[in-house]
Amino acid sequence: MQVVVADTFEEWRRAARQLLRSDTEPAEVLFRDSAGQRGLFDDGAQLEKTAQRSRRQEPRPAYRVPKEFLDLARKVSCHRDSDRWERLYRTLWRLTHGERRLLEVTTDDDVHRLLTMEKSVRRDAHKMKAFVRFRRVLAEGEEHFIAWHRPDHRIVRLTAPFFSRRFPDMFWSILTPGESVSWDKKALCYGPGVPASASPETDELEDLWRTYYGNIFNPARVNLATMTREMPVRHWATLPETDIIDDLLADAPRRVDEMVARQEGFATSAADFLPMELELRVLRAAARTCEGCHLHRAATQTVFGEGPPDAKIVLVGEQPGDQEDLAGRPFVGPAGDVLNDALSAVGIDREQVYLTNAVKHFKYEPRGKRRLHKRPDAREMSACKPWVEAELTLLQPNVLVCLGATAAQQLIGRDFRLTQQRGRAIVTQWCDNTIPTYHPSAVLRNPDPIRRERLMATLVADLRAAKTHLC
Ligand code: URA
Ligand code: SF4
């Protein structure tokens, strides 16, 4: 039995590679977190020896690990449960030993558990991004911003890059019980955790904190009722900015202009524009000023999702079209007409559905007076993903329909192939019944009337299948 000590994804990945190379079966390995006891287990040396031995014996096949798995593993590795490393290694072993498409089998015990863990980590990361509050302290004449936070999982390394993008020009530290991170305007540096008793929550800092909060104030964040409801007490025991909110609101328009100017040229993702509160109304308002990619420049406006906040079913399209761009609402053009027909054919009331898109700005190529639809590329899809992620985190639908390959690839995985995998309910981190189907535009665009009819029939059948999961 080998014992491997890993605390981070990189450590696990290195160990897993060597274990695979030396053909070590999952049942022969015990994974541990160091829990501050590094050095007790002679993992590295032992592993290297085994790997060398096996390299001498015979060349091992190079394993191709799907990127989707690595993305999943990176998130799962932040989960607090100690069985995560074993599950990850077992899944990796199975993927590389004849079960190449294992991740599609979302009913599989390992896959299901990994997806659940990933979901929980994502939620926690979202909360951390939303609830971290910095306080300004002066240390040796330098201004430093410090925040204390208690996440559920080990997400400091996962979320730190977000904070460095958001606050690139400040010295800051985020302290958590498990790990701390600091930014010196150039690089992130990780250190040991800090107990709550050592957090910088003292009264003298309150005024400085208020000043700081005033400096970074984002009007889209102001909704005190939601702030207090959404915020577990341990995230934010007091709200010292409440008494300066009125002043801040009066100054809001100038601050918005300033914020936009500051962010110009920096943002590469909608993540930088996400508001603090998790509420649809607030998200929609914040998305109006999103400049997470270049698409906002040529488009008329952001087309955010719409529908009841308690919708049981969410439909995600690709991106707004010409008419949606002008109207500012999703699915109001020709593709929307097809969708309406399909919905009424199966008896789903459009008013009960939350409709949104993978990408929130219209991408097109001007042709004379017309604007020809262009598919969003991988960068734009990934830049815009935080919006749909935030929408789904809030909505938690019973059924999630991905209309077309763009939405399916964004929410299910890059390798997703619509023609082969549509129509079946898949468990994803967003929803246990995620159903990919054709996009209504595929029906519209097909020149052959018989094919068109068939595509429409399939779209209707898939929506009917979606409806069966609604109750
Ligand atoms: N196509 C989409 O994917 N979304 C819309 O909102 C309109 C057309
Ligand atoms: Fe932001 Fe998405 Fe629009 Fe890009 S497409 S600017 S990420 S809302």
Side-chain angles (χ1 to χ4, degrees), residues 78-143:
C78 303
H79 200 279
R80 64 164 180 265
D81 283 3
S82 52
D83 73 341
R84 69 200 187 288
W85 297 135
E86 259 142 56
R87 269 205 204 261
L88 282 171
Y89 185 60
R90 190 162 57 236
T91 308
L92 176 64
W93 176 269
R94 293 174 62 194
L95 277 168
T96 51
H97 288 76
E99 295 181 75
R100 266 188 44 232
R101 308 187 63 157
L102 175 61
L103 293 186
E104 288 162 26
V105 190
T106 44
T107 46
D108 179 90
D109 192 46
D110 283 331
V111 176
H112 187 262
R113 177 71 188 131
L114 290 180
L115 288 173
T116 313
M117 283 177 161
E118 187 199 33
K119 184 171 175 179
S120 170
V121 166
R122 263 177 195 272
R123 278 194 76 94
D124 199 32
H126 197 97
K127 278 208 171 124
M128 177 159 173
K129 291 177 189 172
F131 298 142
V132 155
R133 292 291 176 284
F134 287 100
R135 287 151 186 263
R136 186 170 74 160
V137 290
L138 287 170
E140 293 167 9
E142 282 280 15
E143 209 177 31

Side-chain angles (χ1 to χ4, degrees), residues 301 303 319-336:
Q301 58 190 315
V303 178
Q319 59 163 340
D322 183 80
Q323 297 202 25
E324 287 79 11
D325 170 77
L326 297 171
R329 299 182 51 206
F331 287 104
V332 292

Side-chain angles (χ1 to χ4, degrees), residues 194-248:
V194 171
S197 57
S199 76
E201 298 193 64
T202 57
D203 285 348
E204 317 90 78
L205 296 172
E206 209 84 309
D207 281 346
L208 293 170
W209 185 21
R210 278 179 230 211
T211 315
Y212 166 65
Y213 193 78
N215 286 336
I216 61 150
F217 172 67
N218 173 349
R221 292 171 184 160
V222 181
N223 177 336
L224 282 178
T226 328
M227 270 169 156
T228 3
R229 189 173 29 148
E230 284 282 343
M231 213 162 328
V233 171
R234 71 187 164 81
H235 282 303
W236 196 357
T238 54
L239 287 169
E241 63 265 64
T242 49
D243 45 309
I244 52 165
I245 287 288
D246 284 348
D247 293 350
L248 291 172

Side-chain angles (χ1 to χ4, degrees), residues 269-270 273 287 290-297 302 358-362 380 383-387:
S269 156
F273 298 85
C290 183
E291 298 186 354
C293 76
H294 69 109
L295 291 182
H296 72 92
R297 293 199 199 127
T302 309
V359 168
K360 308 288 196 247
H361 274 111
F362 177 36
E380 292 144 4
C384 209
K385 196 171 171 185
W387 291 124

Side-chain angles (χ1 to χ4, degrees), residues 356-429:
T356 191
N357 284 300
V359 168
K360 308 288 196 247
H361 274 111
F362 177 36
K363 181 177 181 183
Y364 63 92
E365 207 173 87
R367 269 297 155 75
K369 283 197 182 139
R370 294 181 55 216
R371 304 190 295 175
L372 294 188
H373 161 273
K374 276 187 85 178
R375 265 185 94 160
D377 62 26
R379 270 224 330 262
E380 292 144 4
M381 276 157 66
S382 134
C384 209
K385 196 171 171 185
W387 291 124
V388 80
E389 283 179 344
E391 287 174 294
L392 291 171
T393 304
L394 280 173
L395 289 157
Q396 306 240 326
N398 292 353
V399 181
L400 168 62
V401 179
C402 299
L403 296 168
T406 302
Q409 281 166 3
Q410 190 189 48
L411 297 172
I412 301 171
R414 284 237 192 112
D415 302 330
F416 183 84
R417 292 290 164 267
L418 192 64
T419 41
Q420 290 154 27
Q421 294 165 271
R422 50 136 283 282
R424 264 179 301 140
I426 300 173
V427 178
T428 62
Q429 69 192 107

